[in-house]
Amino acid sequence: MRVFFFSTCIGAVAFADTCINSIKLLQKEGVEVIFKKDQTCCGQPSYNSGYFEESKKIALYIMNLFKGEEPIIVPSGSCAGMMRVDYQELFKNTPYQSQAKDFSQRVFELSEFLEKELKVCYEDKGSPTKVTWHSNCHALRVTKCIASAKSLIKSLKNVELIELEREEECCGFGGTFSIKEPEISYAMVSQKIQDIQSRKVEYLLSADSGCLLNISGAMKKQGVNIKTMHLYDFLAQRIGA
């Protein structure tokens, strides 16, 4: 099987190791991974800010770059949701409507591809640990891939997943929201951190780089000693990939 890999902006800038580990998880299952070196942003920041015409140009570039029949694997529920759902909305009632629909059907967030398409079965090689999980808003409500992510965590025999009390509440990142409304954003992430601390865990896991940057940065500022880790780094570490 051949797939395209979409690394995302934050993946390319701050989470390069996560992208590498994501590719390793695919390769471990015998998947040939194709990385398009000219890939760029999916267009979500401009789309969420209301710049729809500018976002169409980005989306059309991405759709043309990833032409073919191969699945497009994205290690982010946010970007996967943009490419799978919002592209169709952008090009509704335009000459590109059919292309956007065909493209969207090839987009998978990595956890759902691992669980539903590859049906992975992992041997946990790590020591016993307790973790909790933060659900990214877009992954939860648009891409709807949270169940797959949790399923992968629960399949690890030495990992105990302790659910957050207010898991579905935003951490305050929200892309450009955290820049436009920093005080509100910090209040939101502080509430999220209180919930995380109450779980008495070693790790906070998430499959969204933006949320992890926001939460880990606030934790460091507040002196909270809980490790944060991207889901695909955690999985790769647990199975020795």
Side-chain angles (χ1 to χ4, degrees), residues 210-227:
C211 295
L212 284 172
L213 285 175
N214 188 45
I215 297 171
S216 63
M219 278 184 169
K220 186 176 181 180
K221 193 177 292 185
Q222 297 177 17
V224 176
N225 189 29
I226 296 175
K227 302 170 188 173

Side-chain angles (χ1 to χ4, degrees), residues 5-16:
F5 184 81
F6 184 80
S7 64
T8 81
C9 294
I10 297 181
V13 172
F15 282 78

Side-chain angles (χ1 to χ4, degrees), residues 196-212:
I196 294 166
Q197 285 182 289
S198 72
R199 302 297 94 178
K200 308 296 182 184
V201 296
E202 184 178 6
Y203 290 97
L204 165 72
L205 304 179
S206 182
D208 185 86
S209 303
C211 295
L212 284 172

Side-chain angles (χ1 to χ4, degrees), residues 7-225:
S7 64
T8 81
C9 294
I10 297 181
V13 172
F15 282 78
D17 287 345
T18 302
C19 290
I20 292 171
N21 284 326
S22 298
I23 291 171
K24 286 181 178 179
L25 290 172
L26 290 165
Q27 291 176 330
K28 183 180 180 297
E29 305 305 318
V31 176
E32 179 185 351
V33 181
I34 303 167
F35 186 91
K36 293 278 190 175
K37 67 178 182 179
D38 295 327
Q39 61 181 277
T40 184
C41 178
C42 69
Q44 188 184 74
S46 59
Y47 179 74
N48 288 347
S49 297
Y51 294 98
F52 301 131
E53 292 306 314
E54 291 83 352
S55 300
K56 285 180 182 179
K57 294 177 184 178
I58 300 170
L60 189 58
Y61 172 80
I62 291 296
M63 290 193 301
N64 287 330
L65 182 66
F66 288 95
K67 276 185 176 179
E69 298 181 352
E70 293 86 352
I72 303 162
I73 311 303
V74 189
S76 163
S78 292
C79 299
M82 175 69 186
M83 297 163 73
R84 190 160 75 192
V85 178
D86 297 329
Y87 277 18
Q88 292 193 74
E89 186 64 28
L90 267 178
F91 293 111
K92 191 175 182 179
N93 299 323
T94 75
Y96 302 105
Q97 180 172 327
S98 178
Q99 183 181 356
K101 181 180 179 180
D102 291 342
F103 176 87
S104 70
Q105 293 173 348
R106 296 165 50 219
V107 175
F108 294 86
E109 197 277 332
L110 178 56
S111 67
E112 62 185 1
F113 192 75
L114 290 171
E115 188 219 11
K116 296 180 179 179
E117 301 298 318
L118 299 181
K119 303 186 187 305
V120 297
C121 183
Y122 289 142
E123 178 187 357
D124 187 1
K125 299 178 181 179
S127 56
T129 189
K130 294 181 180 181
V131 306
T132 193
W133 167 263
H134 165 68
S135 287
N136 155 261
C137 294
H138 224 65
L140 181 68
R141 297 176 178 87
V142 180
T143 315
K144 300 179 181 179
C145 57
I146 298 300
S148 291
K150 285 187 176 181
S151 177
L152 293 174
I153 296 170
K154 291 175 181 177
S155 73
L156 301 170
K157 67 177 182 179
N158 293 325
V159 176
E160 180 182 355
L161 174 61
I162 300 174
E163 309 275 2
L164 289 175
E165 182 181 350
R166 301 161 71 174
E167 177 195 322
E168 296 187 1
E169 291 187 12
C170 178
C171 73
F173 176 62
T176 55
F177 172 79
S178 60
I179 298 171
K180 294 176 179 177
E181 302 288 350
E183 293 86 2
I184 298 174
S185 174
Y186 191 72
M188 293 170 71
V189 76
S190 295
Q191 287 185 338
K192 177 68 67 171
I193 290 170
Q194 288 178 7
D195 194 6
I196 294 166
Q197 285 182 289
S198 72
R199 302 297 94 178
K200 308 296 182 184
V201 296
E202 184 178 6
Y203 290 97
L204 165 72
L205 304 179
S206 182
D208 185 86
S209 303
C211 295
L212 284 172
L213 285 175
N214 188 45
I215 297 171
S216 63
M219 278 184 169
K220 186 176 181 180
K221 193 177 292 185
Q222 297 177 17
V224 176
N225 189 29

Side-chain angles (χ1 to χ4, degrees), residues 221-240:
K221 193 177 292 185
Q222 297 177 17
V224 176
N225 189 29
I226 296 175
K227 302 170 188 173
T228 60
M229 187 174 284
H230 200 289
L231 173 62
Y232 304 122
D233 294 326
F234 186 75
L235 290 176
Q237 181 186 83
R238 299 299 298 190
I239 67 175

